[in-house]
């Protein structure tokens, strides 16, 4: 047992030494030292990096471009850096912790070793003691063997002592057991510590790798920063160079400008001197100006007022002259009219129309004189009768040509004269055509108004004109308003209440017209009225007189002179005779009225032309209405319409006779008297005598009305002309 115990002890000692060498307290320490040195080196590097970082930061602060985009990047990098630093710090702290742990473990190891040593020493002592006792025991055994009694006793004692030894061995064995357990525990602890060491080594390696990574990162950031700084530097240099070159160019230009300005200054100086001089003289003038102005104004005012005075007096003189001229003109005009006669008679022969039919009946019975446009020949019952009028229009005469002869009369209306234009003749001879015309070829009415408008426009600078139009109809001696609301209403002709002796028709509609369009509207209106009022317009119109009364009122703005002229355009009823047997009832009454009014017109014209004291205006509505347009210095035109057809020759003869009689009235009391005889107007009408003469209510004073003249008494002039014409063929 002792032997085995010894062996075991030896084994234990060997195991302990092996463990020691294995554990290698020195190796761990070496490792720790190595780590500490590494740590120190890293710390140094970190410090260097921080220094570099500080330097970079300082440079960045000094860097010229503050708004550069690199700044942002830089800030990011810095942030990264600080992050890395923080991480490094943490790693460092961990490292310190690990160091501490390693230290503790080393301490514990040393302790364990110490304890191990103690126990080993104890064991050696025990072994020593045990071996000594063993020897003692063996000696005793030997001595005892020699002394059997004694030996037996000794054996007995030894046997007793052997149990004690056995007990001690057991104890030692249990102790050994405990120690072995301890060693196992220590081994376990060692293993754990090794594990821990390995872990900490792994962590350290990781940390180191991280540090390397961070360093690489740091390096990269640093490189980037450097590059950026380089680029910035280059940019800065470039900008500086550019600015420098630009500044040089500008400087050059400024230098040049300066030179120019300098030369300008040199040339300007004398100019400035003259300017100053001028300015001074101007200042003087300005100082003197109000005085001068007042002086000039005074003299100018005097001059102007003198001039105005002169102009005034000239104006007065001119006005006086103008008025005198006006009067003279009027006098001359009157004289002219007196010489020419203010009653004129024209004849118009219409062309042969389809209505005239065919054959000998439709042949033309009228011929003209190539040399004299006032003469007309009519072949009646195989005999040629010649007539002399103021003017004869052949069938081919246009509306325009007719109007040209009439327009002087129309314009005199603007000067304040009253004018009457009558169309006389048998039905179908062209009265309406001459007065109204057609839409394509208007007659006197439309043309007269057009002319009035254009004349008035021409005088608009000095005169204000108002043109009004009335349209009336006389049928069976009843006057009707064609433009009124009640065309059936019979109108009366009355004396003006102002005592002027003027006549007027109360209720007669007057339209103010300002353009030809207005006129057309008025005509259209009147025409429509007439059409709706009667069943057969043609028949009706041939038995009534149609009047268009145009009034022209003027005001001379400069003199205040007022004029009123009236233009009466009359389409008379047909002058044809109505057969004795055929005329009955209303037709007879119509014929009587027409006859009465036409002969009354003849009478009036006769009385006017022969300058009779009394003119029988009141014998018919027509003459009474036109009284103021027929008397005084009024002008009258009788347009006698003639049909050239063979079948109409007897009516044509009558019309031409009427025309010639009107025209050939010789002025002067004797001839007047003589003329009276040749005035049997419409004598061919089979109408009771009382209808032809003055009406019982006539205003004609006794003895001054015209008696029916005897047919034999023709005026000498008329007779002589007719004779001449007859003889000349
Ligand atoms: P009145 O009014 O005298 O009864 P109108 O004027 O109605 O006669 O004329 C009768 C016809 O003769 C109409 O068809 C008209 O167109 C025509 N006529 C009259 N005069 C002329 C003329 N100068 N040229 C052409 N046709 C005319
Ligand atoms: Mg007619």
């Amino acid at each position: 047992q002792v032997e085995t115990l010894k062996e075991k002890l030896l084994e234990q000692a060997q195991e302990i030494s092996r463990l020691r060498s294995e554990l290698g307290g020195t190796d761990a320490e070496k490792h720790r030292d190595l780590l500490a040195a590494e740590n120190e080196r890293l710390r140094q590097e970190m410090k260097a990096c921080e220094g570099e970082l500080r330097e970079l930061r300082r440079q960045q602060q000094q860097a010229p471009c503050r708004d550069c985009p690199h700044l942002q990047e830089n800030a990011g990098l810095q942030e990264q850096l600080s992050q890395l630093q923080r991480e490094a710090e943490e790693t460092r702290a961990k490292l310190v912790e690990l160091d501490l742990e390693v230290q503790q473990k080393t301490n514990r190891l040393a302790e364990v070793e110490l304890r191990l040593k103690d126990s080993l020493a104890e064991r050696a002592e025990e072994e020593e003691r045990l071996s000594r006792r063993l020897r003692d025991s063996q000696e005793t055994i030997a001595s005892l063997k020699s002394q059997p009694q004694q030996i037996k006793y000794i054996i007995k004692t030894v046997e007793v002592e052997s149990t004690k030894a056995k007990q001690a061995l057991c104890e030692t064995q249990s102790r050994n057991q405990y120690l072995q357990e301890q060693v196992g525990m220590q081994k376990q602890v060692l293993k754990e510590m090794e594990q821990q060491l390995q872990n900490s080594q792994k962590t350290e390696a990781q940390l180191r790798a991280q540090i390397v990574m961070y360093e690489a990162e740091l390096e990269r950031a640093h490189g980037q920063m450097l590059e950026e700084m380089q680029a910035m530097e280059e940019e800065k240099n470039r900008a500086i160079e550019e600015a420098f070159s630009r500044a040089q160019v500008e400087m050059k230009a400024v230098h040049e400008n300066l030179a120019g300005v300098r030369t300008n200054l040199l040339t300007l100086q004398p100019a400035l001197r003259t300017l100053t001089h001028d300015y001074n003289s101007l200042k003087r003038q300005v100082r003197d100006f109000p005085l001068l102005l007042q002086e000039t104004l005074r003299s100018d005012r005097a001059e102007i007022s003198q001039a105005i005075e002169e102009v005034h007096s000239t104006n007065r003189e001119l006005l006086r002259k103008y008025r005198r001229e006006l009067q003279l003109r009027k006098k001359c005009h009157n004289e002219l009219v007196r010489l020419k006669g203010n009653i004129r008679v024209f004849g118009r022969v219409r062309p042969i129309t389809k209505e005239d039919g065919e054959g000998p009946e439709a042949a033309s019975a009228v011929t003209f004189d190539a040399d004299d446009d006032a003469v007309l020949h009519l072949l009646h019952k195989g005999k040629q009768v010649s007539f002399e009028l103021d003017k004869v229009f052949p069938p081919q005469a246009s509306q325009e040509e007719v109007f040209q002869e009439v327009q002087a009369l129309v314009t005199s209306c603007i000067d304040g004269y009253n004018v009457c234009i009558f169309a006389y003749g048998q039905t179908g001879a062209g009265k309406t055509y001459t007065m109204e015309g057609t839409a394509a070829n208007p007659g006197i009415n439309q043309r007269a108004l057009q002319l009035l408008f254009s004349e008035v426009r021409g005088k608009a600078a000095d005169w204000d004109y108002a043109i009004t139009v009335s349209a009336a109809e006389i049928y069976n001696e009843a006057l009707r308003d064609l433009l009124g609301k009640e065309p059936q209403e019979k109108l009366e002709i009355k004396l003006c209440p102002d005592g002027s002796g003027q006549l007027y028709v109360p209720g007669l509609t007057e339209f103010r017209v300002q353009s030809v369009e207005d006129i057309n509207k008025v005509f259209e209106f009147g025409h429509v009225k007439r059409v709706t009022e009667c069943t057969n317009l043609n028949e009706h119109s041939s038995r009534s007189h149609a009047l268009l009364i145009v009034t022209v009122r003027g005001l001379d703005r400069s003199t205040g002179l007022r004029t009123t002229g009236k233009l009466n355009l009359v389409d008379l009823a047909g002058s044809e005779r109505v057969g004795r047997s055929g005329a009955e009832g209303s037709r007879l009454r119509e014929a009587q009225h027409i006859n009465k009014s036409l002969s009354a017109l003849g009478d009036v014209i006769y009385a006017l032309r022969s300058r009779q004291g009394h003119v029988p205006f009141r014998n018919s509505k027509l003459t009474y209405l036109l009284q103021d347009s027929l008397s005084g210095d009024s002008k009258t035109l009788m347009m006698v319409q003639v049909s050239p057809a063979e079948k109409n020759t007897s009516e044509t003869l009558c019309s031409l006779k009427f025309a010639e009689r009107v025209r050939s009235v010789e002025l002067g009391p004797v001839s007047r008297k003589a003329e009276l005889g040749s005035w049997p107007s419409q004598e061919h009408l089979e109408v009771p005598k009382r209808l032809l003469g003055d009406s019982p209510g006539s205003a004609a004073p006794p003895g001054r009305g015209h008696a029916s003249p005897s047919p034999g008494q023709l005026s000498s002039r008329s007779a002589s002309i007719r004779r001449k014409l007859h003889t000349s063929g």
Side-chain angles (χ1 to χ4, degrees):
Q1 275 180 342
V2 170
E3 259 334 81
T4 51
L5 273 172
K6 268 184 191 168
E7 264 175 35
K8 268 187 189 169
L9 211 65
L10 205 71
E11 264 177 32
Q12 288 287 325
Q14 271 173 359
E15 181 69 25
I16 284 166
S17 69
R18 196 184 59 78
L19 275 172
R20 191 179 287 158
S21 71
E22 207 172 277
L23 265 174
T26 45
D27 271 11
E29 273 164 11
K30 249 190 251 167
H31 195 71
R32 190 195 62 203
D33 289 348
L34 261 170
L35 276 178
E38 184 68 38
N39 214 1
E40 188 60 29
R41 197 182 59 77
L42 281 174
R43 211 171 279 155
Q44 291 287 322
E45 263 179 43
M46 192 89 94
K47 223 173 250 166
C49 272
E50 271 174 359
E52 232 169 336
L53 202 68
R54 259 199 300 280
E55 179 65 17
L56 280 173
R57 216 172 274 158
R58 194 178 52 74
Q59 277 180 0
Q60 202 178 15
Q61 269 169 6
Q62 285 171 354
C65 61
R66 283 182 176 275
D67 321 317
C68 176
H70 303 308
L71 213 62
Q72 276 178 3
E73 211 175 317
N74 217 356
L77 284 172
Q78 269 179 359
E79 188 128 323
Q80 243 176 330
L81 196 68
S82 63
Q83 178 82 12
L84 286 174
Q85 272 175 347
R86 263 199 305 284
E87 281 177 29
E89 201 70 39
E90 276 169 28
T91 318
R92 210 178 291 154
K94 263 190 207 170
L95 213 65
V96 169
E97 251 172 58
L98 280 173
D99 268 354
L100 215 71
E101 220 173 293
V102 167
Q103 193 75 37
Q104 277 174 3
K105 287 202 177 137
T106 332
N107 287 351
R108 258 172 68 192
L109 205 65
E111 228 173 85
V112 167
E113 267 172 44
L114 224 72
R115 265 186 15 221
L116 206 63
K117 252 180 216 164
D118 284 350
S119 63
L120 280 173
E122 257 177 55
R123 200 189 282 183
E125 253 172 58
E126 190 77 8
E127 271 174 26
E128 189 67 35
R129 205 170 45 85
L130 279 173
S131 57
R132 233 176 313 137
R133 268 179 72 183
L134 198 61
R135 247 177 348 254
D136 288 346
S137 305
Q138 276 168 347
E139 275 166 21
T140 322
I141 290 165
S143 62
L144 278 172
K145 262 169 188 177
S146 52
Q147 307 160 7
Q149 274 314 354
Q150 231 185 346
I151 286 166
K152 271 182 192 168
Y153 173 72
I154 290 168
I155 287 170
K156 277 260 181 168
T157 9
V158 167
E159 270 175 5
V160 171
E161 270 187 22
S162 177
T163 49
K164 276 187 193 168
K166 266 184 198 168
Q167 244 174 358
L169 197 66
C170 263
E171 268 172 39
T172 318
Q173 267 178 342
S174 69
R175 191 94 191 255
N176 205 2
Q177 187 78 28
Y178 165 75
L179 278 172
Q180 265 180 347
E181 273 172 21
Q182 281 267 317
V183 168
M185 260 164 63
Q186 286 302 324
K187 264 191 204 162
Q188 196 74 30
V189 170
L190 208 69
K191 219 176 248 171
E192 272 174 26
M193 277 171 75
E194 262 177 67
Q195 191 69 38
Q196 274 185 3
L197 196 70
Q198 257 172 14
N199 282 353
S200 70
Q201 270 174 347
K202 225 183 269 173
T203 324
E204 195 203 326
Q206 273 177 3
L207 283 171
R208 203 165 290 159
Q210 261 185 10
I211 285 171
V212 167
M213 213 175 68
Y214 290 154
E215 270 172 0
E217 189 90 0
L218 211 68
E219 191 79 9
R220 203 175 52 75
H222 186 72
Q224 219 174 332
M225 204 134 86
L226 275 180
E227 260 173 39
E228 277 169 16
M229 269 164 68
Q230 185 82 17
M232 266 147 65
E233 188 78 11
E234 273 168 21
E235 212 166 297
K236 186 184 84 188
N237 287 346
R238 214 171 30 247
I240 286 171
E241 261 171 42
E242 240 170 63
F244 183 69
S245 58
R246 219 180 307 136
Q248 265 183 336
V249 170
E250 275 173 21
M251 194 75 167
K252 209 168 173 181
V254 165
H255 270 300
E256 275 165 17
N257 267 2
L258 200 71
V261 165
R262 233 177 244 150
T263 52
N264 269 0
L265 210 70
L266 282 177
T267 53
L268 276 176
Q269 258 165 358
L272 192 73
R273 263 201 294 281
T274 54
L275 270 178
T276 324
H277 184 258
D278 283 0
Y279 171 72
N280 285 336
S281 68
L282 270 176
K283 219 157 126 185
R284 267 200 302 284
Q285 276 180 18
V286 165
R287 214 175 25 241
D288 301 342
F289 183 70
L291 275 171
L292 216 81
L293 188 73
Q294 262 177 355
E295 193 88 1
T296 321
L297 273 178
R298 232 192 333 268
S299 66
D300 280 0
R301 228 177 259 152
E303 253 173 57
I304 287 168
S305 53
Q306 199 185 330
I308 287 173
E309 194 55 45
E310 272 169 26
V311 167
H312 219 67
S313 62
T314 319
N315 260 0
R316 266 202 300 272
E317 179 64 16
L318 277 174
L319 207 69
R320 197 181 57 76
K321 278 184 183 162
Y322 172 67
R323 285 214 178 105
R324 215 183 57 203
E325 279 305 311
L326 217 69
Q327 246 155 19
L328 215 72
R329 194 178 142 210
K330 200 159 181 179
K331 232 162 92 185
C332 283
H333 181 84
N334 287 346
E335 191 60 23
L336 192 77
V337 165
R338 197 183 61 76
L339 288 171
K340 250 185 149 178
N342 56 1
I343 296 170
R344 319 202 68 203
V345 182
F346 290 172
R348 187 178 189 186
V349 181
R350 73 153 166 84
I352 295 282
T353 62
K354 277 208 291 286
E355 283 73 37
D356 292 326
E358 275 170 35
E361 284 238 307
S364 174
V366 179
T367 50
F368 304 90
D369 194 318
D371 303 319
D372 195 344
D373 65 355
V375 174
L376 176 150
H377 311 289
L378 175 72
L379 197 67
H380 179 54
K381 291 180 181 167
K383 269 206 310 191
Q384 179 166 291
V385 195
S386 298
F387 296 94
E388 193 197 2
L389 306 173
D390 289 309
K391 169 117 187 141
V392 172
F393 295 103
Q396 65 272 18
S398 67
Q399 299 279 65
E400 177 76 51
E401 279 170 53
V402 172
F403 185 69
Q404 254 170 19
E405 290 296 321
V406 170
Q407 67 183 17
L409 268 179
V410 172
T411 46
S412 72
C413 171
I414 294 171
D415 297 328
Y417 292 99
N418 289 343
V419 178
C420 280
I421 299 175
F422 296 101
Y424 179 96
Q426 74 171 113
T427 298
K431 298 184 295 294
T432 307
Y433 184 86
T434 295
M435 296 312 284
E436 285 178 23
T438 58
N441 208 0
I444 290 170
N445 290 4
Q446 178 123 335
R447 286 171 199 268
L449 279 155
Q450 263 173 9
L451 181 68
L452 283 180
F453 280 127
S454 76
E455 288 286 311
V456 160
R457 258 202 303 280
K459 293 174 100 176
D462 307 310
W463 287 78
D464 286 330
Y465 281 106
I467 300 177
T468 55
V469 174
S470 298
E473 180 192 78
I474 296 171
Y475 175 69
N476 281 355
E477 284 301 279
L479 179 64
R480 286 196 182 88
D481 184 2
L482 284 182
L483 303 179
K485 291 195 182 86
E486 309 243 356
Q488 283 304 329
E489 194 188 346
K490 289 180 188 175
L491 300 176
E492 288 305 317
I493 303 159
K494 295 204 167 143
L495 259 174
C496 254
D498 59 4
S500 61
Q502 294 266 318
L503 293 170
Y504 83 113
V505 182
L508 183 66
T509 311
E510 265 196 4
F511 272 130
R512 169 104 191 245
V513 285
Q514 271 156 337
S515 64
V516 180
E517 286 74 47
D518 291 353
I519 290 295
N520 287 340
K521 268 184 224 155
V522 169
F523 284 169
E524 189 67 21
F525 189 71
H527 197 69
V528 167
K529 274 272 155 66
R530 233 179 154 197
V531 169
T532 51
E533 290 307 319
C534 54
T535 45
N536 186 339
L537 176 67
N538 256 342
E539 220 163 84
H540 177 82
S541 70
S542 72
R543 285 162 209 169
S544 64
H545 311 299
L547 293 100
L548 182 73
I549 304 159
V550 183
T551 313
V552 184
R553 295 186 179 87
L555 167 68
D556 184 347
R557 281 196 295 274
S558 59
T559 60
L561 191 78
R562 280 179 192 279
T563 61
T564 304
K566 234 191 232 175
L567 173 65
N568 301 279
L569 301 158
V570 190
D571 185 354
L572 290 169
S575 62
E576 62 272 17
R577 295 160 295 173
V578 177
R580 189 195 306 228
S581 51
E584 279 179 334
S586 69
R587 186 72 190 89
L588 181 64
R589 220 161 72 84
E590 274 174 4
Q592 287 166 348
H593 281 303
I594 293 165
N595 173 60
K596 183 189 162 195
S597 59
L598 288 180
S599 48
L601 182 64
D603 289 346
V604 165
I605 292 174
Y606 169 80
L608 287 167
R609 246 194 124 151
S610 57
R611 303 256 161 84
Q612 288 185 2
H614 170 68
V615 183
F617 291 114
R618 281 174 170 244
N619 284 1
S620 79
K621 272 265 155 56
L622 181 70
T623 49
Y624 190 34
L625 179 67
L626 297 176
Q627 178 172 344
D628 54 359
S629 296
L630 289 167
S631 55
D633 52 9
S634 302
K635 299 161 193 188
T636 301
L637 169 70
M638 182 65 75
M639 180 71 80
V640 177
Q641 293 290 146
V642 162
S643 161
E646 179 69 43
K647 60 176 179 186
N648 295 129
T649 45
S650 61
E651 284 301 333
T652 304
L653 190 70
C654 281
S655 295
L656 286 171
K657 272 183 181 169
F658 177 85
E660 199 176 49
R661 279 168 203 153
V662 168
R663 191 185 162 265
S664 62
V665 173
E666 193 90 359
L667 299 175
V670 178
S671 56
R672 202 163 64 220
K673 217 168 182 187
E675 193 62 17
L676 280 170
S678 66
W679 194 249
S681 70
Q682 317 287 312
E683 81 272 51
H684 43 270
L685 279 175
E686 297 296 323
V687 173
K689 184 70 185 154
R690 60 186 164 79
L691 283 169
L692 289 166
D694 283 356
S695 61
S698 162
R704 286 188 38 189
H706 70 274
S708 280
S710 64
Q713 293 174 295
L714 285 169
S715 87
S716 54
R717 182 174 167 241
S718 163
S720 69
I721 290 168
R722 203 167 307 161
R723 259 198 309 279
K724 202 166 77 192
L725 287 170
H726 274 302
T727 48
S728 69

